[in-house]
Each structure stands twice: as structure tokens, then as C-alpha cells.
Amino acid sequence: MTAHTSKDPLHGVTLEMQVNALVARYGWDRLSQLIKINCFKNDPSVKSSLKFLRRTPWARAEVEALYLDALHDEVDVTPAEPAFDPWANSRAKH
């Protein structure tokens, strides 16, 4: 039996997961600058944001678009070479 694969990048991703990911990535202050809605500006919480976004299709579309952009912007943060640490030798235990 083959597993169902969806081409929709939001398949299986709830609105709550999207809001939590955006808050973790940007924080409430930056998120309120990127998407200008009051639930991100005045006393923000995930619960109040979800309530508003579920009733407001244009705002939900903005959140989904930002979430998708954030997914595409993610790059592997592991550098090819380790970063230079000038203090590495001073902390070495002899």
C-alpha cells in the first residue's frame, strides 16, 4: 500500500503550529511588524491570535504566506568549517 503524498506544503500543519513557529522565529514584536494585525501587537497570545485568524481569512492567508516564506528561507545553519573561537585554547584542560 502506498502512502498518500500531498504537494501542499501546509498539509498536516495546523494554524497553531504555524503561529508557534513564527513566534519562535521572529518573536511577537517582529511578527507584528511583518503582519499588521492587532492580535500580534496588543497583549499577544497564541490563543487570541488563533481565535482571530480562524475568523479572518485575509489574516490567515498572510500568516500562511509568511510561514511558507520562512520555510523557504531556512538554510542549514551548520557551517562547512567550524567558526574561529579565539578563546578555545584558553579553556582547554591540560
Side-chain angles (χ1 to χ4, degrees), residues 27-70:
W28 289 113
D29 288 335
R30 180 73 179 131
L31 192 55
S32 70
Q33 294 170 355
L34 294 170
I35 303 174
K36 297 187 183 330
I37 53 178
N38 282 336
C39 66
F40 291 162
K41 292 179 185 178
N42 301 327
D43 195 25
S45 72
V46 173
K47 184 178 178 180
S48 67
S49 298
L50 291 174
K51 185 175 181 181
F52 175 76
L53 293 170
R54 287 182 178 130
R55 290 185 284 138
T56 315
W58 66 265
R60 182 178 183 143
E62 293 278 325
V63 168
E64 290 173 349
L66 182 61
Y67 178 78
L68 290 174
D69 286 345

Side-chain angles (χ1 to χ4, degrees), residues 25 68-79:
R25 181 177 178 120
L68 290 174
D69 286 345
L71 284 180
H72 293 296
D73 289 345
E74 285 184 2
V75 292
D76 188 11
V77 292
T78 308

